[in-house]
Amino acid sequence: MRVRVLTDEKAVARAVARRVEAAIRERPATVLGLPTGRTPVRLYRLLREAHLAGRIDFSRVSTFNLDEFYGLPADHPGSYRTFMETHLFAHVNLSRRRIHFLDGTAKDADAECRRYERAIVKAGGIDLMLLGIGANGHIGFNEPAASLSADTHLARLEPGTRRSNATLFGGRVQAVPREALSMGVGTILRSRAIALIATGEGKADAIAQALEGPVTTRMPASLLQLHPDVEVYLDRAAASRLTAR
Ligand code: F6R
């Protein structure tokens, strides 16, 4: 893993935005994997600005979001689809048919997960997967467990994960769905390149364990150690418990 420690959250967002810009410049039909959450908000703003300034043309780019709450329609104010529309999709020239999302209202969750895996393959696989990390080490909604699902699946959310998503539901934890559809760790690891982004003190323990601890399903982000092309973008606070620096 190539670790880059930058001064603060702003510098992290700038560095990742440059990475995305370079990927699209090199390959205009890049397939991106995208996270939601607090971490990428500033990054998405910079991508919008880069598009407005004429530096990024999204017209041939495809996107696959990592996850979606199960039971929520796409236009629900708390859905990840709504988050993405607000922060990125509505502001750039992505082609609607190249935006891919898990359908939280699918009756048959397994069939929906299989459809998503097939769509990723049909798009040629994910070129650059952007990832955030949970304070418990989750990536996507792959929560720490004795075993993990390799492929896209229906996941149960931990109480802490529901708490950290409460802001999307007006602060009401009870309103956060208990389940979500999520890419599996295998889906993530099949991406050609991965950029893991973490900012703030609250991620420091997870980052230290994921990067320097053993590879274990109890710390899902540690499985990224198995991938040959991972860049980790950290601010000083998130890097503060790494021993190797
Ligand atoms: C979101 C996702 C999650 C988040 C993680 C960090 O699509 O897959 O794994 O990346 O929970 O969330 P924030 O950025 O809010 O700390």
Side-chain angles (χ1 to χ4, degrees):
M1 292 198 202
R2 300 189 300 286
V3 183
R4 296 187 57 186
V5 182
L6 298 140
T7 338
D8 55 19
E9 211 180 313
K10 285 188 191 148
V12 168
R14 275 198 301 271
V16 183
R18 278 198 298 271
R19 173 73 179 86
V20 173
E21 200 178 315
I24 298 174
R25 201 178 320 113
E26 197 180 305
R27 186 170 135 72
T30 291
V31 180
L32 296 175
L34 299 176
T36 57
R38 273 179 300 276
T39 311
V41 167
R42 200 180 288 271
L43 164 68
Y44 292 154
R45 189 169 80 217
L46 294 179
L47 294 181
R48 278 172 358 227
E49 288 170 5
H51 169 66
L52 266 178
R55 291 200 312 276
I56 304 186
D57 173 11
F58 284 94
S59 62
R60 295 176 60 198
V61 171
S62 298
T63 65
F64 285 86
N65 265 81
L66 271 162
D67 37 28
E68 179 60 285
F69 292 112
Y70 193 51
L72 292 193
D75 60 359
H76 187 285
S79 76
Y80 279 172
R81 177 63 192 242
T82 297
F83 174 98
M84 289 306 302
E85 290 293 339
T86 307
H87 291 280
L88 187 68
F89 295 164
H91 313 278
V92 297
N93 66 334
L94 272 164
S95 151
R96 290 273 136 187
R97 67 191 166 89
R98 281 195 268 272
I99 293 175
H100 300 272
F101 238 91
L102 282 154
D103 176 5
T105 63
K107 293 255 171 330
D108 185 340
D110 288 345
E112 173 58 7
C113 294
R114 286 196 300 274
R115 178 196 69 78
Y116 209 56
E117 289 285 346
R118 280 197 305 272
I120 295 173
V121 171
K122 198 165 161 225
I126 293 171
D127 293 308
L128 177 60
M129 178 89 231
L130 306 179
L131 290 178
I133 181 172
N136 65 359
H138 72 215
I139 46 176
F141 275 135
N142 297 281
E143 301 279 29
S147 66
L148 295 175
S149 302
D151 293 336
T152 302
H153 61 285
L154 181 64
R156 230 185 141 64
L157 305 183
E158 285 207 349
T161 302
R162 291 181 65 224
R163 272 196 300 280
S164 57
N165 277 276
T167 44
L168 293 172
F169 297 83
R172 289 178 307 125
V173 184
Q174 327 80 275
V176 182
R178 291 171 191 280
E179 292 176 312
L181 300 174
S182 174
M183 285 186 195
V185 176
T187 324
I188 293 169
L189 291 176
R190 280 191 288 276
S191 310
R192 283 179 199 96
I194 297 174
L196 175 68
I197 315 161
T199 54
E201 170 81 31
K203 302 293 171 68
D205 276 334
I207 284 295
Q209 287 176 50
L211 272 57
E212 296 178 343
V215 175
T216 162
T217 59
R218 297 280 177 200
M219 174 47 61
S222 69
L223 280 112
L224 298 174
Q225 293 180 32
L226 304 173
H227 193 281
D229 188 356
V230 180
E231 284 169 298
V232 187
Y233 293 85
L234 307 173
D235 65 359
R236 284 202 191 118
S240 60
R241 311 246 159 86
L242 289 172
T243 54
R245 48 195 62 240

